[in-house]
Amino acid sequence: MNLLVCISKTPETTAKIGFTDGDSKFNEEGVQFIMNPYDEWYALVRAIELKESVGGKVVAINVGPASNDVVIRKALAIGADEAVRINAQPQSAMTTAKYIADYAKEGNFDIVFLGKETIDYNGSEVGSMLAEYLDLPFFSYASKLEMDGSKAIITRDVEGGQETAEYTGSFVLSAAKGLAEQRIPNMRGIMMAKRKPLNVIEPTITEDLSVVVKYELPEAKSGVKMLDADDMDELVRLLHEEAKVI
Amino acid sequence: MSTVSDKVALKGCEFLLKESTWLDAYGPEDFNEEQLMIQSMVREFNEQEVHTRREKLEKLEEGLNEMLLEKMGELGLLGSHMPEQYGGMDLDFNTNSIIAEEMGTTGGFSVSYNAHTGIGMLPILYFGTEEQKSTYLPKLLTGEWKASYCLTEPNSGSDALAAKTKAILSEDGSHYVLNGQKMWISNAGFANIFTVFAQVDGDKFTGFILDKDMPGLTLGAEEKKLGIKASSTRQVFLENVKVPVENVLGEIGNGHLIAFNVLNTGRYKLGASCLGGYKKLVEVSAKYANERHQFKVPISSFGAIQHKLGEQTIQTYVSESAIYRVSNLINEKIKELKAAGKSNAEAKLEAAEEYALECSIIKIVGSEVLDYVVDEAVQIHGGMGYSEENPVAQAFRDARINRIFEGTNEINRMLMVNVLMKRAMKGQLDLMTPVMAIQSELMNGTSASDTDYGTYADEKEAIKGFKKCLLLVVGAAAQDVMSGKLNLKEEQEILTNLSNVITQIFMAESVLIRTEKIKERGQHKVDFEVYESAMKTYFHQSRFVIHQNAVEAVMAFANDSMVGGLLKSVAAFSKYRVKDVKTLRRTVAASVIKEEAYCL
């Protein structure tokens, strides 16, 4: 099978979040980056497992600057056969989807994988846009994927239960927890990663339709106030005037 | 890392006689992408597989150590230091230091790992026949077999060669019969392979490779230890165990070579492993100090706590500088020896032997900084630190063994001076020329230095003085030894003083050259002032440590006619302008309080 896995770079989970440029841009200074866990743990690993069982090739793709190569090489260390980096600063879900789609169109991929969302912007948008650009069906939030010959059996998490779908043909799939189990790259994989191809291509021209105006951090939580159990009037006043919940 | 190669790398002990510059420094800021990837891979493994099983490991749940070692084998972590022909990755020494450091966060399990990959495998690699290597190493590298090393006995610990276990050759010459008792054997509970030392013909100390299934080999119960409870430690009893002659390791009577040479690498790795442990403790301490409120403020806002956090960080930064400096020295030496045609095993063995003194320094420093940092971590946690519910209590118990095994710190202190003296006697190290230069400098009074040191002139001048201080005392002691007035070997207190001075010099110089390198290359992760403050605080302390130890040594051996002059010179050489270390420590503390991690 010919498999494409979209991998994104996200801040490490304990990173301190701040903004610059009038709060319109994420401040990357001093932040450690990792591969988006949904892309790495589930999408990439399931693609590698499929390749291992039925043969084929796994290509990892990322949209970003050269500094992303470290994250891309981790995908190669885990087991992707080759990687592509589209040399552009990611702007929005739409441009990212368009860049990837323009590459994927030529690649004749059976399945295009990506995580259900990135853990930074939580957009969950690239998958559906990518499917639209490629004119392929989209299975979101997949927690299981099995192949029965050329037929794919996909289990999706839906509210309060599960949905199972079958499809024969190419498709885009976003991965949720359960699709695979995290793989730690082994030493041989790490040493091999350097020798695997990492092709850099220039992006196609796409006009962005929206711009981010402002980011805000959630308000800092104030401390817990302890009141005397008999002082009901004060409690009502605080709930009314400070917490504004009644 | 490629550097200008007209510079010859320092030989063992030579740091005492020669100047090092920032170009000789090496630290985590120099790791390449592959090394960082391996570092994060080991971290991931520890977080997912080891830390999550802390409580089960503490109970020594059956099969757990084995399972984790096998998983490490699958990832290629058990053979990272082994030649490719046996299935290893043959990564360079620096990368293996990184792995050792990361494994140091895993408490008792790190002992299982170190015993298996270090004293378990290395004797076979260094001294095994080709057949022994290809029989044992591939299976040890995958984790299918686990290894242990049986040297210590109830009545022979530091005095390892006094072992009583006997090996007697059978009449037909086909096997040896081993009888004896071994004690404190790490991994004994699950090991398949036991490297055992025994006396052939009563006095030829020799190594043997035993299989767990050999009749007559039995195990004692698990020891009830103070710490490292996750590690299996048992006695091994040998009762008429028949060991085929093919299982003799190395040559008959050469067991001491195996026993002692393997320890150099072991000592270095122990230090590196401790570093991983206390870096984590700095993080845990800073986080708790920020969370814990008393008198309505976080306790990290108090000077007394900032003193602890600052000092924990300074000690960590300084020792990290020394540990990776030694790592890189060994690394470069291995490359040099391989290029000269030595085999993989020979190169590793000889490189570690070359830096035997430095390996002892790292063993002592790693274990003692760990004990300092973990003790203060408990103190910062207050009552919480004394509760077994908190991992800090476990860390406190686990830490203590490091000053005891792989040669006690006392033995290592003796050894250090012994190595220095031996090399001087053999003419491998020219100690006498600089000693005489200092003596003539003192007589002629031409000490005022007009060298232009450039950056950190005060510190460079101080290092020069510290070295002179040591050489002065060593030279005076050596004269007394030669004239028969002093039996230095029997004066362990003096040897301890000298080793303390040697250690302090190495540490101070390591932090100086690394700090300058970080400055020159702009490699600082937090404000550069933090690095500089750490270095200056350490120099301030070093001045007093060196002065005190040198004075104690002089007072212990010098006669009345010498003592006055020596003390005066000691005072003149152990100089460094004192600093306001309260403010410097606070600067360092502020950065860990902000980052909630060791951040240098």
Side-chain angles (χ1 to χ4, degrees):
Chain A
M1 294 181 90
N2 205 6
L3 306 166
L4 183 68
V5 184
C6 310
I7 54 169
S8 183
K9 183 188 80 171
T10 58
E12 183 248 334
T13 48
T14 59
K16 296 210 168 86
I17 306 298
F19 304 108
T20 56
D21 292 7
D23 284 346
S24 68
K25 225 176 145 195
F26 171 57
N27 184 2
E28 297 195 355
E29 207 187 294
V31 174
Q32 299 267 353
F33 287 94
I34 56 169
M35 201 187 315
N36 178 40
Y38 290 107
D39 302 340
E40 179 190 328
W41 300 352
Y42 311 124
L44 176 65
V45 175
R46 188 64 193 125
I48 293 168
E49 287 170 353
L50 279 182
K51 184 204 90 170
E52 285 166 352
S53 66
V54 301
K57 186 173 80 172
V58 174
V59 181
I61 189 165
N62 169 263
V63 176
S67 57
N68 284 15
D69 286 355
V70 182
V71 166
I72 299 171
R73 267 195 282 275
K74 188 177 183 195
L76 294 170
I78 293 172
D81 299 285
E82 53 185 85
V84 175
R85 179 169 60 78
I86 298 174
N87 192 25
Q89 201 56 248
Q91 301 284 334
S92 66
M94 199 198 84
T95 51
T96 298
K98 182 72 168 65
Y99 295 150
I100 295 173
D102 287 340
Y103 168 81
K105 264 178 207 159
E106 314 297 322
N108 197 23
F109 291 102
D110 297 300
I111 308 174
V112 179
F113 289 84
L114 71 172
K116 67 169 186 172
E117 63 186 344
T118 51
I119 60 165
D120 46 8
Y121 297 98
N122 305 87
S124 274
E125 294 167 343
V126 174
S128 53
M129 292 180 179
L130 185 55
E132 176 62 22
Y133 281 127
L134 290 170
D135 201 16
L136 292 177
F138 178 48
F139 297 96
S140 61
Y141 296 87
S143 56
K144 203 174 166 195
L145 166 67
E146 295 297 338
M147 295 303 296
D148 180 6
S150 61
K151 184 173 73 187
I153 304 158
I154 301 139
T155 306
R156 297 180 62 245
D157 291 338
V158 294
E159 189 63 39
Q162 287 189 324
E163 172 190 287
T164 303
E166 290 182 356
Y167 184 71
T168 305
S170 300
F171 59 91
V172 178
L173 174 141
S174 81
K177 191 179 171 188
L179 191 74
E181 258 183 54
Q182 182 186 358
R183 257 192 210 188
I184 299 171
N186 65 33
M187 201 73 89
R188 216 162 282 281
I190 291 173
M191 306 309 283
M192 290 289 290
K194 246 190 343 202
R195 289 178 224 158
K196 292 179 177 175
L198 196 173
N199 303 312
V200 180
I201 58 173
E202 291 306 314
T204 49
I205 294 164
T206 305
E207 198 190 338
D208 212 349
L209 299 178
S210 65
V211 281
V212 172
V213 186
K214 196 178 177 207
Y215 289 109
E216 278 173 73
L217 287 173
E219 260 180 59
K221 283 182 192 157
S222 58
V224 174
K225 279 193 180 150
M226 300 299 283
L227 295 176
D228 191 17
D230 299 328
D231 199 356
M232 274 300 141
D233 291 346
E234 178 63 2
L235 176 65
V236 172
R237 191 193 67 78
L238 286 171
L239 288 173
H240 196 68
E241 290 172 18
E242 276 197 18
K244 293 180 179 148
V245 288
I246 52 171
Chain B
M1 210 179 65
S2 62
T3 43
V4 192
S5 60
D6 58 346
K7 208 169 159 21
V8 182
L10 279 184
K11 289 201 269 178
C13 310
E14 241 181 20
F15 73 92
L16 291 167
L17 311 175
K18 293 189 173 173
E19 265 178 55
S20 291
T21 72
W22 66 267
L23 288 166
D24 304 309
Y26 179 79
E29 58 281 354
D30 299 312
F31 294 166
N32 63 31
E33 187 187 313
E34 224 158 60
Q35 289 173 322
L36 291 172
M37 221 187 232
I38 288 169
Q39 179 186 54
S40 78
M41 168 254 215
V42 185
R43 264 181 208 169
E44 267 181 57
F45 172 79
N46 287 340
E47 275 162 23
Q48 271 183 42
E49 306 286 355
V50 191
H51 296 158
T52 48
R53 296 187 169 93
R54 187 176 76 88
E55 281 168 14
K56 288 181 180 174
L57 276 163
E58 278 299 278
K59 288 182 194 138
L60 201 55
E61 198 177 278
E62 211 184 319
L64 207 46
N65 268 295
E66 296 95 302
M67 185 271 280
L68 290 172
L69 285 172
E70 284 157 23
K71 283 203 171 186
M72 290 188 81
E74 278 170 34
L75 292 173
L77 281 168
L78 299 181
S80 58
H81 58 321
M82 285 282 162
E84 287 177 15
Q85 65 185 113
Y86 308 112
M89 297 301 302
D90 203 15
L91 300 180
D92 67 0
F93 197 83
N94 287 335
T95 311
N96 281 298
S97 298
I98 298 171
I99 299 174
E101 185 193 323
E102 289 306 320
M103 291 312 296
T105 63
T106 60
F109 177 67
S110 73
V111 177
S112 311
Y113 160 79
N114 282 328
H116 178 70
T117 54
I119 50 181
M121 286 182 193
L122 293 180
I124 300 177
L125 174 71
Y126 292 159
F127 298 97
T129 61
E130 198 43 57
E131 201 188 333
Q132 287 168 341
K133 290 187 210 181
S134 49
T135 305
Y136 296 106
L137 293 178
K139 287 189 172 160
L140 292 172
L141 264 58
T142 59
E144 185 184 340
W145 284 350
K146 286 93 192 163
S148 71
Y149 177 85
C150 312
L151 178 64
T152 300
E153 297 186 4
N155 293 313
S156 63
S158 296
D159 187 12
L161 300 185
K164 290 206 171 64
T165 297
K166 281 186 197 141
I168 295 167
L169 188 63
S170 64
E171 278 183 14
D172 63 359
S174 68
H175 61 268
Y176 283 89
V177 179
L178 266 66
N179 276 289
Q181 183 182 357
K182 294 289 174 178
M183 208 175 182
W184 311 126
I185 306 307
S186 296
N187 292 358
F190 54 81
N192 310 79
I193 307 297
F194 296 78
T195 299
V196 174
F197 293 89
Q199 308 280 7
V200 173
D201 302 336
D203 63 350
K204 298 191 185 79
F205 195 63
T206 306
F208 297 86
I209 308 172
L210 275 64
D211 296 348
K212 131 186 126 180
D213 300 324
M214 286 180 174
L217 188 158
T218 54
L219 303 174
E222 283 293 340
E223 299 288 349
K224 303 222 177 309
K225 305 187 293 289
L226 170 69
I228 57 164
K229 290 173 187 285
S231 140
S232 166
T233 316
R234 297 185 183 219
Q235 291 200 52
V236 175
F237 302 102
L238 305 160
E239 202 182 343
N240 295 320
V241 183
K242 288 184 184 172
V243 183
V245 287
E246 303 86 77
N247 287 33
V248 170
L249 183 61
E251 299 188 1
I252 303 289
N254 272 353
H256 63 288
L257 292 179
I258 307 175
F260 296 146
N261 274 311
V262 166
L263 288 178
N264 289 322
T265 317
R267 284 170 184 149
Y268 168 77
K269 288 265 172 87
L270 180 143
S273 188
C274 287
L275 173 66
Y278 52 84
K279 271 190 189 170
K280 187 82 193 159
L281 285 159
V282 171
E283 180 182 323
V284 169
S285 300
K287 278 187 178 148
Y288 187 80
N290 279 344
E291 273 167 28
R292 173 74 175 168
H293 283 64
Q294 286 294 279
F295 308 102
K296 296 185 176 154
V297 289
I299 61 168
S300 60
S301 62
F302 298 125
I305 299 293
Q306 288 181 12
H307 175 105
K308 296 182 196 305
L309 291 171
E311 195 57 32
Q312 284 178 317
T313 308
I314 292 164
Q315 298 284 336
T316 303
Y317 173 59
V318 175
S319 58
E320 179 185 62
S321 307
I323 287 167
Y324 280 102
R325 181 185 182 194
V326 174
S327 177
N328 202 43
L329 283 169
I330 298 176
N331 198 59
E332 296 306 304
K333 193 78 190 173
I334 291 173
K335 276 196 226 160
E336 185 189 311
L337 290 167
K338 276 187 182 171
K342 298 274 182 182
S343 76
N344 191 316
E346 285 167 341
K348 282 179 180 161
L349 190 60
E350 281 179 35
E353 215 274 315
E354 175 70 38
Y355 298 105
L357 176 139
E358 288 81 356
C359 287
S360 284
I361 291 181
I362 297 305
K363 196 272 170 177
I364 293 167
V365 165
S367 58
E368 293 182 2
V369 171
L370 175 60
D371 269 357
Y372 169 76
V373 173
V374 79
D375 185 74
E376 290 290 40
V378 170
Q379 196 66 16
I380 290 168
H381 280 73
M384 276 307 290
Y386 205 68
S387 162
E388 284 291 346
E389 272 180 37
N390 195 302
V392 168
Q394 184 199 320
F396 183 79
R397 288 184 289 95
D398 286 349
R400 192 60 182 81
I401 188 63
N402 289 293
R403 276 161 55 202
I404 301 171
F405 61 16
E406 299 275 351
T408 62
N409 285 15
E410 289 71 21
I411 285 285
N412 271 285
R413 285 187 157 91
M414 306 302 129
L415 240 151
M416 209 189 277
V417 186
N418 193 23
V419 168
L420 183 68
M421 292 304 194
K422 258 195 190 158
R423 291 197 186 173
M425 305 282 208
K426 282 187 188 165
Q428 293 167 332
L429 193 76
D430 180 14
L431 211 54
M432 282 334 275
T433 309
V435 165
M436 278 151 74
I438 293 163
Q439 284 168 348
S440 84
E441 176 188 316
L442 286 170
M443 300 240 260
N444 304 326
T446 56
S447 78
S449 150
D450 52 359
T451 319
D452 179 17
Y453 290 109
T455 319
Y456 301 134
D458 278 3
E459 285 74 19
K460 286 173 189 169
E461 179 87 41
I463 285 287
K464 215 169 179 183
F466 295 165
K467 289 180 185 177
K468 282 183 186 170
C469 181
L470 175 81
L471 292 171
L472 174 82
V473 179
V474 165
Q479 275 172 352
D480 279 9
V481 170
M482 283 186 277
S483 65
K485 278 186 252 168
L486 177 67
N487 186 358
L488 191 57
K489 270 190 193 160
E490 298 304 318
E491 299 287 348
Q492 297 195 337
E493 297 92 331
I494 300 176
L495 294 173
T496 301
N497 287 137
L498 296 177
S499 73
N500 289 342
V501 176
I502 294 171
T503 303
Q504 203 72 24
I505 292 170
F506 189 75
M507 300 285 283
E509 187 177 68
S510 300
V511 72
L512 167 63
I513 60 175
R514 178 162 170 229
T515 305
E516 192 178 348
K517 176 188 66 97
I518 289 172
K519 185 189 176 93
E520 289 293 332
R521 297 211 173 117
Q523 291 172 315
H524 51 97
K525 290 192 280 182
V526 292
D527 282 350
F528 185 69
E529 195 193 357
V530 178
Y531 297 78
E532 224 170 61
S533 303
M535 176 187 76
K536 288 183 174 165
T537 308
Y538 197 79
F539 266 78
H540 169 97
Q541 293 164 336
S542 296
R543 168 206 149 127
F544 294 106
V545 172
I546 289 171
H547 184 253
Q548 184 186 350
N549 277 283
V551 166
E552 284 182 17
V554 166
M555 293 306 291
F557 74 82
N559 61 31
D560 291 349
S561 66
M562 295 285 292
V563 75
L566 278 171
L567 289 179
K568 215 175 120 195
S569 305
V570 160
F573 288 145
S574 51
K575 258 194 190 156
Y576 177 67
R577 200 177 305 156
V578 289
K579 298 281 181 290
D580 169 14
V581 287
K582 183 210 85 172
T583 304
L584 293 174
R585 269 196 208 96
R586 282 195 174 193
T587 303
V588 177
S591 75
V592 271
I593 289 167
K594 180 168 170 253
E595 303 292 332
E596 294 193 332
Y598 171 72
C599 52
L600 274 78

